[in-house]
Amino acid sequence: MKMRMKCKNVQLMKHMVTAFAIFLTAGVSVPLASAADGARPVLSVDDCAKCHDAAPKAIESNGGKHKTSVTCVDCHQGHPPDKTDIIPQCGMCHSGEKHFQLEGCLNCHKNPHTPLAITFADNLTDPCLTCHTEQIEQLKQNPSKHTELFCTFCHTKHGEIPDCTGCHTPHAPNMVQSDCLTCHKVHMPRQVAYPDDISSKHCAACHDTAYNLLIASPAKHKELACAYCHKSQHKMVPKCQDCHGVPHPDGMMQKFAACGDCHGIAHNINK
Ligand code: HEC
Ligand code: HEC
Ligand code: HEC
Ligand code: HEC
Ligand code: HEC
Ligand code: HEC
Ligand code: HEC
Ligand code: HEC
Ligand code: HEC
Ligand code: HEC
Ligand code: HEC
Ligand code: HEC
């Protein structure tokens, strides 16, 4: 108990190791795994926590598979002063996958005793691509200003999804975060597409002229949503004939170039 407390101090720890070696050779009983043939004892996993506090606690609380699939001594083979170089390379056990060829495992997996507590440095994209490929394809095939950003500009913690509204002001005051994704896909934000039932109010945020004209019009078009006519894709413009076919006799139509010559515009039909 006393020993464990002192071990928190590195200077003291160094003395302890010397003392501990002497103790053992002198055959003084310390509560460690017993030695074969009176030689220095081989440390077992149960011994580690007698002197080390942080590592066993970290593994116990958040060790993941480093708790369940390996032990302290699978990684730390030997111990000072007999063996000084006892910090394992990750590659000793993890190899063969693209992800395991990255440099600086501990930059993200800060503590090997809590391997899934991951932190990202700033300005990362390439390391993410060892596992995620779909997003970079969308970003590259549909160039936008998002393509120029690092993945970690938006995803500062692993698995965390940011709100658009954290960085952008909505087009209208009545627009909220969940509306953004009805028109935009984040990894291809300029490819605006939307469902047929999207509220015309969202279009009005930028097209108030069209909106105001339509709702003031007496014709039946005003019952229709913008997206009923401008289907699916932004800037799609329908032809009258797509919905109405050719409603008048050929003779009549031949004299006029366009439906609009008599009916005006779609947003304000003359009957
Ligand atoms: C009797 C106390 C004691 C026990 C038991 C003990 N250690 Fe240590 N350990 C120390 C001390 C003291 C140091 C510091 C040694 C030094 O810096 O020279 C140390 C250092 C280490 C280091 C760091 C080495 C480095 O290069 O920085 C590791 C890793 C380690 N111990 C792992 C273990 C493991 C795993 C066990 C159980 C198998 C264990 N220790 C059991 C006292 C102990
Ligand atoms: C999956 C491999 C692995 C396992 C399992 C593991 N360690 Fe470590 N340990 C490491 C690595 C790698 C480092 C070096 C970390 C660094 O450089 O930041 C380390 C560092 C240490 C250190 C020195 C730094 C510190 O955190 O104080 C001690 C002591 C230590 N381990 C003890 C233990 C003990 C005790 C256990 C079992 C409860 C254990 N380790 C289990 C890989 C492991
Ligand atoms: C002595 C072997 C050994 C060493 C050294 C080792 N690991 Fe592991 N690690 C394992 C094993 C075994 C698993 C479980 C693999 C599995 O089930 O697929 C594992 C799992 C992991 C996991 C997933 C954990 C989970 O709970 O899913 C991460 C992350 C990881 N290791 C990172 C590292 C890093 C980073 C290093 C170097 C600091 C390292 N490992 C060193 C043996 C090791
Ligand atoms: C840029 C940050 C980053 C770096 C650098 C990094 N990792 Fe990872 N690693 C991750 C993330 C993120 C995960 C996914 C964790 C999850 O599934 O929740 C992961 C998962 C893992 C896993 C478990 C899943 C699997 O594929 O088996 C292991 C093992 C692992 N890393 C080992 C390593 C090793 C070894 C290195 C160095 C060669 C390394 N990592 C470098 C971020 C990183
Ligand atoms: C070792 C493989 C690995 C690496 C490297 C990795 N990830 Fe992941 N990532 C995963 C896995 C597996 C999941 C799904 C499991 C989960 O939700 O934790 C995931 C989930 C995610 C999610 C959440 C997905 C959702 O549906 O909520 C985001 C966002 C993400 N990763 C971004 C990144 C970014 C950004 C990087 C680079 C800085 C990165 N990942 C590096 C394996 C990895
Ligand atoms: C972490 C901040 C951040 C988040 C979160 C974010 N963006 Fe952006 N976005 C930017 C930056 C920075 C630009 C470039 C601005 C500039 O250069 O004027 C940008 C540009 C855009 C552009 C214009 C693209 C171009 O090429 O002109 C659209 C559209 C856009 N974002 C939509 C979204 C949507 C929708 C979401 C949520 C799904 C979102 N953004 C989330 C930071 C962010
Ligand atoms: C402009 C900010 C931004 C950038 C840059 C960005 N993401 Fe995302 N990412 C998001 C948002 C927001 C979501 C949630 C999208 C949704 O819910 O539809 C997301 C979702 C994800 C997901 C979950 C699955 C999916 O596709 O919806 C993964 C994985 C992911 N991003 C990885 C990445 C990777 C890897 C990069 C870099 C190549 C990256 N992201 C770049 C903002 C961004
Ligand atoms: C009704 C569909 C729709 C909704 C909902 C929508 N957007 Fe847009 N957004 C657009 C269109 C269309 C453009 C492109 C205009 C152009 O071509 O210049 C655009 C452009 C942008 C731009 C580029 C700069 C600008 O203002 O022109 C950003 C940033 C953006 N949207 C963010 C958002 C955010 C954040 C939300 C959610 C609060 C959102 N959008 C909701 C359709 C929508
Ligand atoms: C963020 C603002 C924004 C939003 C929201 C928005 N638009 Fe647009 N829209 C624009 C801009 C900018 C243009 C290009 C205007 C120009 O070229 O003069 C445009 C052009 C158009 C055009 C004309 C294409 C052409 O060939 O002249 C149509 C049709 C259109 N939008 C329909 C819609 C519909 C329907 C919605 C709702 C689902 C919508 N817009 C939402 C900004 C927006
Ligand atoms: C996406 C389909 C669609 C498009 C495109 C479309 N309309 Fe219509 N239109 C309708 C529907 C639906 C009605 C209502 C029919 C009803 O209630 O009987 C209608 C009604 C009308 C009416 C009768 C108005 C009334 O109030 O009784 C006229 C005239 C008309 N459309 C002309 C046009 C012209 C001209 C164009 C092109 C500039 C056009 N439409 C484009 C679907 C469309
Ligand atoms: C009945 C179908 C229909 C409806 C409903 C409709 N439009 Fe249109 N819109 C058209 C047609 C057809 C054109 C091409 C010009 C024309 O012939 O009137 C057009 C043209 C446009 C244009 C480009 C020219 C201009 O007037 O600026 C914009 C922008 C536009 N519509 C936006 C909207 C918005 C926003 C709504 C909803 C408030 C809407 N439209 C509702 C059929 C419709
Ligand atoms: C020469 C002028 C003229 C032209 C050109 C014209 N229309 Fe008409 N249209 C009319 C008149 C007048 C009526 C009203 C007839 C009635 O009430 O019986 C009408 C009626 C309609 C109606 C039916 C309204 C209802 O209440 O049933 C539709 C739909 C329509 N037109 C669509 C079109 C389309 C689509 C075009 C272009 C292909 C077009 N029109 C070209 C003059 C025209």
Side-chain angles (χ1 to χ4, degrees), residues 8-184:
K8 284 180 186 150
N9 178 307
V10 175
Q11 279 299 83
L12 275 172
M13 292 261 284
K14 301 229 155 141
H15 290 298
M16 295 292 303
V17 167
T18 324
F20 153 54
I22 292 163
F23 269 177
L24 293 175
T25 35
V28 176
S29 163
V30 283
L32 296 173
S34 61
D37 307 328
R40 229 182 260 169
V42 175
L43 290 171
S44 86
V45 171
D46 296 333
D47 296 325
C48 314
K50 291 170 186 164
C51 300
H52 295 288
D53 207 25
K57 272 191 186 146
I59 290 198
E60 184 54 35
S61 66
N62 201 11
K65 288 186 177 151
H66 280 178
K67 175 181 171 186
T68 52
S69 299
V70 281
T71 67
C72 313
V73 296
D74 290 327
C75 286
H76 300 293
Q77 298 173 357
H79 197 280
D82 290 348
K83 192 160 180 265
T84 47
D85 183 17
I86 62 163
I87 300 298
Q89 295 298 310
C90 310
M92 195 169 110
C93 304
H94 299 292
S95 61
E97 284 175 32
K98 208 173 153 201
H99 184 65
F100 303 147
Q101 279 147 34
L102 290 173
E103 303 272 311
C105 312
L106 290 171
N107 290 342
C108 295
H109 303 281
K110 282 272 185 292
N111 183 345
H113 306 136
T114 57
L116 288 182
I118 292 165
T119 43
F120 291 150
D122 291 340
N123 303 348
L124 298 179
T125 290
D126 289 348
C128 315
L129 311 183
T130 60
C131 299
H132 300 288
T133 51
E134 199 185 306
Q135 294 75 22
I136 193 74
E137 277 165 23
Q138 290 187 345
L139 284 160
K140 290 229 159 115
Q141 282 163 18
N142 305 278
S144 76
K145 287 178 179 157
H146 282 183
T147 311
E148 292 153 29
L149 304 174
F150 289 102
C151 307
T152 52
F153 185 83
C154 294
H155 301 289
T156 50
K157 279 193 192 149
H158 193 233
E160 205 170 86
I161 303 279
D163 281 353
C164 317
T165 50
C167 298
H168 298 292
T169 312
H171 302 303
N174 62 351
M175 223 181 243
V176 296
Q177 167 60 31
S178 56
D179 296 325
C180 311
L181 294 167
T182 50
C183 289
H184 295 283

